[in-house]
């Protein structure tokens, strides 16, 4: 993947290296606070065992893995639409790529909310084996990274690589969450609902 970098400032304009870094400081600090707060809540809250269940599924765990799979699917669509928006898919750059990017991200995030509620409220921060510990850590990191991305989006003057890197972190962490829960569930329990 080719990443766009901003050109060096013209000799008559001073470099503003401090401004982009300073403009990222608040989103990074708030994102870190969200990640830590999520983990602390998950650790201190006494798990209830059940939080989210929908008709048609065998139980809350099945709801969680299918919603998580939906979020992963829309996250892949968001990456593809971002690549199309920035002309990274060859000649394929439709005018609707920006709209597809925004809506696929919204749907992916909305699908993660009931999953997070279930994980935090019903299960808590789990660390009884390496998979669940990694899953818990990635879950906290996801919401911190997502918060950072959303707060960085409206910031003017960011270097061209900032949003793709933050978006890449959000996507990678979400895929890690999917691997440590949904894929694990499908390979150990089965694909049935």
């Amino acid at each position: 993947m080719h990443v766009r970098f901003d050109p060096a400032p013209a000799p008559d304009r001073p470099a503003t290296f401090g401004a982009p870094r300073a403009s990222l400081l608040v989103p990074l600090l708030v994102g870190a606070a969200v990640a830590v707060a999520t983990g602390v809540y998950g650790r201190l809250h006494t798990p209830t065992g059940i939080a989210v269940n929908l008709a048609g599924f065998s139980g809350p765990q099945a709801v969680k893995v299918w919603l998580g799979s939906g979020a992963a699917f829309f996250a892949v669509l968001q990456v593809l639409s971002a690549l199309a928006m920035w002309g990274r898919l060859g000649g394929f750059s439709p005018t609707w790529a920006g709209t597809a990017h925004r809506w696929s991200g919204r749907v992916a995030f909305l699908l993660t909310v009931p999953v997070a509620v279930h994980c935090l409220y019903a299960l808590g921060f789990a660390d009884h084996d390496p998979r669940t510990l990694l899953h818990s850590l990635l879950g906290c990191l996801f919401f911190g990274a997502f918060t950072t991305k959303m707060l960085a989006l409206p910031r003017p003057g960011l270097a061209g690589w900032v949003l793709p890197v933050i978006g890449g972190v959000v996507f990678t962490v979400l895929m890690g969450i999917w691997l440590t829960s949904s894929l694990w569930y499908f390979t150990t329990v089965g694909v049935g609902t």
Side-chain angles (χ1 to χ4, degrees), residues 2 33 39 55 64 140 144 151 155:
H2 184 271
K64 178 185 158 202
C140 297
L151 292 175
R155 303 270 175 179

Side-chain angles (χ1 to χ4, degrees), residues 22 34 64 128 131 133-134 139 176 179 181 185:
V34 166
K64 178 185 158 202
H128 49 271
R131 180 193 63 81
L133 173 61
L134 180 60
L179 289 169
S181 91
Y185 181 89

Side-chain angles (χ1 to χ4, degrees), residues 4-112:
R4 179 180 63 102
F5 291 98
D6 292 337
D12 59 333
R13 291 186 309 172
T16 56
F17 294 111
R21 289 185 189 144
S23 68
L24 270 180
L25 184 61
V26 170
L28 286 169
L29 289 175
V30 174
V34 166
V36 170
T38 303
V40 168
Y41 174 80
R43 173 56 90 191
L44 298 179
H45 170 74
T46 303
T48 63
I50 190 166
V52 175
N53 201 0
L54 295 173
F57 289 93
S58 59
Q61 190 70 11
V63 172
K64 178 185 158 202
V65 299
W66 281 104
L67 290 177
S69 295
F73 172 78
F74 281 101
V76 169
L77 291 180
Q78 190 177 49
V79 168
L80 292 173
S81 61
L83 292 171
M85 272 182 358
W86 293 102
R88 302 292 187 240
L89 296 179
F92 185 70
S93 185
T95 57
W96 48 263
T99 302
H101 181 73
R102 286 185 297 279
W103 279 102
S104 60
R106 289 171 182 154
V107 172
F109 179 75
L110 288 175
L111 290 173
T112 67

